[in-house]
Amino acid sequence: MSIETPGLRESKKQETRQLISDHATRLFLEHGFEETTIAEIATAARVAKKTVTNYFPRKEDLALDHHEEFTASLARAVTDRADGESAVAALRREFNAALDERDPVAGFAGPDFARMIADSPTLTARLRDLHDQREEALAAALAAASPAATPAIAPRAAAALLAAAHRLLFRRIQELTLAGHPNDRIAATLAPEAAHAFDLLDASLNASPDTAQ
């Protein structure tokens, strides 16, 4: 009798999760998110319907399967920044890296995927919720790094401004994608726009050190 190691079990789980996600994405793109059912996804992936919901409790998570990375991304950039690096500088650096990598988490998902989201009220609402969650996580990270005497509103205010800039940049990538621009052109367009946004943030937030250092 063969015994599966924890590593092998985890690998199989990841393979099953990816299989379900791939079939779900294909069906969503072919038929639309609202029109595709969990049962159809299960049939395509050759798994039980319960298996799909075990891996993806919400149907939206099948489409936005990078949601955990997305909501944690800004907070992680602040938490992992180098000593002496401001929050604005860390987030600028991380966004520029995302542009260079054409990172899907930053919004580089391709025209078909962008259209699927734009055409789905459910996914549009879920994306707004994820942006809000990302802001909340960033506020918590800024609060944890702030001096004890920092006013309670300061990290939340800084997070609101920083998250709003990232929300705008994400939307710009989606807009340009839907307009038919290729990723390289989108990145070239966004680079100076992002620099302008971060310059504004740097001038405002770093003038009040407790909010962004």
Side-chain angles (χ1 to χ4, degrees):
M1 180 178 66
S2 62
I3 300 177
E4 289 187 355
T5 65
L8 181 58
R9 286 196 298 271
E10 183 60 30
S11 177
K12 287 186 175 181
K13 286 181 180 179
Q14 289 300 324
E15 288 177 3
T16 301
R17 188 183 192 281
Q18 189 62 52
L19 176 69
I20 294 169
S21 176
D22 290 345
H23 281 288
T25 299
R26 176 179 59 79
L27 290 172
F28 291 152
L29 293 176
E30 289 177 358
H31 307 296
F33 176 82
E34 310 292 347
E35 291 74 20
T36 302
T37 67
I38 296 296
E40 290 170 338
I41 294 168
T43 298
R46 297 184 178 181
V47 298
K49 183 178 177 181
K50 185 176 181 180
T51 301
V52 176
T53 55
N54 282 342
Y55 282 96
F56 301 92
R58 301 176 59 148
K59 183 182 174 185
E60 299 95 300
D61 294 341
L62 282 158
L64 304 171
D65 60 345
H66 294 292
H67 65 281
E68 293 178 350
E69 183 180 355
F70 180 86
T71 56
S73 59
L74 303 187
R76 184 176 59 250
V78 167
T79 301
D80 295 346
R81 61 188 158 150
D83 291 341
E85 185 179 33
S86 73
V88 176
L91 290 168
R92 184 198 294 261
R93 174 172 49 76
E94 288 293 317
F95 185 79
N96 287 337
L99 279 185
D100 290 342
E101 296 168 7
R102 315 299 191 254
D103 192 345
V105 175
F108 289 95
D112 293 338
F113 197 88
R115 175 56 59 194
M116 177 189 73
I117 294 176
D119 289 345
S120 169
T122 303
L123 289 179
T124 300
R126 177 58 173 160
L127 188 56
R128 285 197 299 268
D129 181 50
L130 292 176
H131 277 291
D132 290 342
Q133 290 181 34
R134 186 163 71 159
E135 179 182 327
E136 292 170 6
L138 176 59
L142 289 171
S146 297
T150 301
I153 194 66
R156 295 170 61 185
L161 293 173
L162 291 163
H166 280 81
R167 192 184 302 236
L168 173 61
L169 294 171
F170 184 95
R171 188 179 299 127
R172 281 288 287 144
I173 293 173
Q174 294 288 289
E175 289 173 355
L176 293 171
T177 298
L178 290 173
H181 295 206
N183 283 347
D184 289 349
R185 184 176 174 187
I186 293 171
T189 300
L190 261 290
E193 293 183 353
H196 180 70
F198 283 112
D199 285 346
L200 292 174
L201 291 168
D202 190 60
S204 59
L205 291 177
N206 284 335
S208 178
D210 288 346
T211 64
Q213 295 293 335

